[in-house]
Amino acid sequence: MNTILMGPPGAGKGTQADRLKKEFKIPHISTGDMFREAVEQKTELGLEAKKFMDSGQLVPDQITIGIVAERLAQADCSKGFLLDGFPRTTVQAEALDEVMTKIGKVIKVVINIDVPKSILLERIAGRVSCSKCKAIFNLATLAEDSNKICGTCGGELIQRSDDQGDTIVKRLNVYDEQTNPLLDYYHKKGLLKNIDGNRDSEVIYSEIKAILE
Ligand code: ADP
Ligand code: ZN
């Protein structure tokens, strides 16, 4: 059950991971979430990561690999884990292989959620999340009378600072250049499963669940 969720920004990795972690009772390890938490808490890592995130760039490999290696060694990962947003470069993928060998584990499957770029732009521009429970919503499907309040916990719905303006386009380009080549990397290892992410999230969820079962 050691799984990697791949896909461009806005593909729906976070939404799917949120349900999968509950279904399979495994930790959801999102490097984006880890960095955002560090930024919120103004730790040294957060201050460093923020510089890159705000401009749509990747946080340097050394830093990212370090926090993931530390996280994967924790006890709750022993029955499996769901990696989301990592690896994002070839250097990270090779480092992950090394970490896995060191802790005596293997990646079982890499799920790629595929969505056309025109749709990604639309989705990211409308994406908001709850400042309290972190649930993800889209303005396009939120009720008009929601007043940007989370239906689950009443928290305020906010837009990520990197989900605005030019940064969105920058992130999609970074994905094409640095992350997309990883699909080939995992295809060659026989681990890649492609999922059409331009469908109802319920349908996508059942498909991923079936693969993991
Ligand atoms: P999305 O998938 O929507 O782009 P994430 O939450 O996964 O969002 O990532 C947000 C930002 O955090 C990225 O734009 C990048 O700056 C940083 N980040 C996340 N994961 C990585 C990673 N594996 N390597 C480098 N930077 C990362
Ligand atoms: Zn909430």
Side-chain angles (χ1 to χ4, degrees):
M1 185 57 79
N2 304 330
T3 306
I4 298 175
L5 269 185
M6 288 204 38
K13 303 181 297 283
T15 305
Q16 296 298 333
D18 230 24
R19 291 187 62 181
L20 293 165
K21 72 172 182 202
K22 289 173 194 147
E23 174 78 30
F24 293 98
K25 300 189 172 60
I26 50 173
H28 168 208
I29 303 173
S30 157
T31 41
D33 286 350
M34 288 160 97
F35 287 138
R36 273 186 292 277
E37 217 161 281
V39 169
E40 226 170 273
Q41 293 172 357
K42 299 192 168 68
T43 62
E44 204 176 311
L45 169 70
L47 293 176
E48 183 63 21
K50 188 171 165 37
K51 293 190 266 181
F52 299 96
M53 296 170 79
D54 280 351
S55 57
Q57 287 174 281
L58 295 182
V59 177
D61 286 332
Q62 260 353 45
I63 299 178
T64 311
I65 292 164
I67 64 164
V68 173
E70 210 172 276
R71 183 67 189 83
L72 289 179
Q74 284 169 20
D76 64 334
C77 292
S78 64
K79 290 203 183 74
F81 53 78
L82 204 52
L83 269 178
D84 160 8
F86 183 95
R88 248 174 159 99
T89 65
T90 307
V91 173
Q92 290 181 13
E94 287 166 356
L96 176 62
D97 286 343
E98 268 176 45
V99 169
M100 294 299 282
T101 306
K102 220 180 266 170
I103 58 181
K105 291 180 185 168
V106 287
I107 295 294
K108 286 274 159 60
V109 64
V110 177
I111 292 175
N112 175 46
I113 309 181
D114 192 29
V115 178
K117 204 174 258 181
S118 55
I119 292 178
L120 293 173
L121 282 167
E122 221 172 89
R123 281 197 196 172
I124 299 173
R127 171 161 71 182
V128 287
S129 62
C130 174
S131 52
K132 268 204 223 156
C133 77
K134 311 292 175 201
I136 305 163
F137 302 92
N138 200 291
L139 294 175
T141 54
L142 269 185
E144 283 216 8
D145 60 359
S146 69
N147 283 325
K148 297 210 176 167
I149 294 296
C150 172
T152 314
C153 80
E156 187 196 353
L157 299 183
I158 50 171
Q159 188 181 38
R160 270 166 51 176
S161 59
D162 63 344
D163 275 355
Q164 301 174 28
D166 293 347
T167 311
I168 304 178
V169 178
K170 171 80 183 158
R171 278 161 57 216
L172 290 174
N173 289 339
V174 166
Y175 174 84
D176 280 343
E177 282 160 23
Q178 306 199 48
T179 310
N180 203 46
L182 290 186
L183 298 181
D184 197 45
Y185 181 89
Y186 287 116
H187 175 69
K188 285 191 180 131
K189 289 179 182 277
L191 293 176
L192 189 69
K193 296 262 188 239
N194 280 304
I195 300 267
D196 173 4
N198 189 17
R199 295 174 301 167
D200 193 75
S201 90
E202 202 62 40
V203 178
I204 299 168
Y205 176 69
S206 345
E207 227 165 80
I208 299 178
K209 188 168 161 249
I211 291 172
L212 298 188
E213 278 164 350

